Amino acid sequence: FFTSAGKEFLLVNPWNYIPKNYNPTLVSLGRFKMAEECFAPLEQMLADCEAAGLSPKIRSAYRTNSDQKWLFIRDVDKYMDEGYSEEEAERLTALKTAVPGTSEHQLGLAFDIVDTDNQNLSEDQQHTKVQKWLMEHCWEYGFILRYPDGKTEKTGIIYEPWHYRYVGVELAMELRDSGLCLEEYIEQLTQE
């Protein structure tokens, strides 16, 4: 946990696991579940994106630990099928699929949002009109592009131009203005 502007935030990454007692209050938007605090901002962001003539689509939202474990094992198996050792397969998988217990999706605050016309979770997303709009406006609704380009060493996760995390408008604006990723921002706070 860290505090910014009197509000407490949870940092989850390969080095910071979700506390065992963490239990978000979940609500549903269609077939997706999410933490209650980000429901209205997400709904408004998607509605405004659609009003701009675009077609955003949620690909993933809240995940249970079991869901995350299944995704991780599936991706490890893919690498092993390609001839990687289990250790190397796990290392490569962890760069793109969070180890269970370290996924922001398990917080209910993270969303994979894609363009309806391009639902691939690849760097090609950055070129879609939906992502360009979201990257420009997400902070207005309290979201950040969580794994920005060039920040893998700090975040522990590859560039994901589709993964958005709710942090509230104030922190989202601070991160946008500073150009820092969440880890760099926290590092700066602790140095101050």
Side-chain angles (χ1 to χ4, degrees), residues 5-21:
K7 186 174 178 187
E8 198 171 72
F9 296 92
L10 183 58
L11 174 66
V12 175
N13 61 24
W15 311 281
N16 295 285
Y17 280 74
I18 298 168
K20 295 208 184 296
N21 63 346

Side-chain angles (χ1 to χ4, degrees), residues 129-173:
K129 290 179 180 178
V130 165
Q131 293 309 336
K132 288 177 181 180
W133 189 94
L134 288 171
M135 288 178 193
E136 182 178 343
H137 296 283
C138 67
W139 68 272
E140 298 169 20
Y141 307 88
F143 289 89
I144 59 171
L145 180 66
R146 180 62 177 93
Y147 305 118
D149 196 15
K151 303 289 185 173
T152 299
E153 189 175 308
K154 292 289 185 181
T155 65
I157 300 289
I158 61 167
Y159 174 43
E160 291 189 350
W162 60 82
H163 183 105
Y164 294 88
R165 156 93 190 254
Y166 183 74
V167 294
V169 174
E170 191 171 339
L171 180 55
M173 186 169 36

Side-chain angles (χ1 to χ4, degrees), residues 103-139:
S103 173
E104 290 190 327
H105 286 283
Q106 293 176 251
L107 298 175
L109 300 171
F111 303 88
D112 293 341
I113 305 172
V114 296
D115 188 306
T116 301
D117 294 331
N118 177 358
Q119 296 185 30
N120 298 319
L121 297 182
S122 69
E123 285 190 24
D124 288 348
Q125 275 299 319
Q126 70 185 329
H127 303 297
T128 67
K129 290 179 180 178
V130 165
Q131 293 309 336
K132 288 177 181 180
W133 189 94
L134 288 171
M135 288 178 193
E136 182 178 343
H137 296 283
C138 67
W139 68 272

Side-chain angles (χ1 to χ4, degrees), residues 18 24 41 65 67 69 72-73 77 83 85 89 93 96-97 108 110 114 128-129 137 142 158-159 168 176 187-189:
I18 298 168
N65 194 65
D67 293 338
K69 186 176 182 179
F72 191 82
I73 291 169
D77 287 345
S85 69
T93 297
K96 64 182 193 101
T97 304
V114 296
T128 67
K129 290 179 180 178
H137 296 283
I158 61 167
Y159 174 43
R176 181 202 61 152
E187 194 174 290
Q188 186 179 59
L189 278 180

Side-chain angles (χ1 to χ4, degrees), residues 65-83:
N65 194 65
S66 297
D67 293 338
Q68 191 65 31
K69 186 176 182 179
W70 179 85
L71 288 171
F72 191 82
I73 291 169
R74 179 199 67 184
D75 288 353
V76 167
D77 287 345
K78 284 180 187 177
Y79 279 115
M80 290 176 64
D81 288 345
E82 292 174 16

Side-chain angles (χ1 to χ4, degrees), residues 14-34:
W15 311 281
N16 295 285
Y17 280 74
I18 298 168
K20 295 208 184 296
N21 63 346
Y22 185 80
N23 192 18
T25 301
L26 299 173
V27 296
S28 295
L29 179 62
R31 66 182 182 96
F32 296 102
K33 292 185 179 183
M34 66 205 62

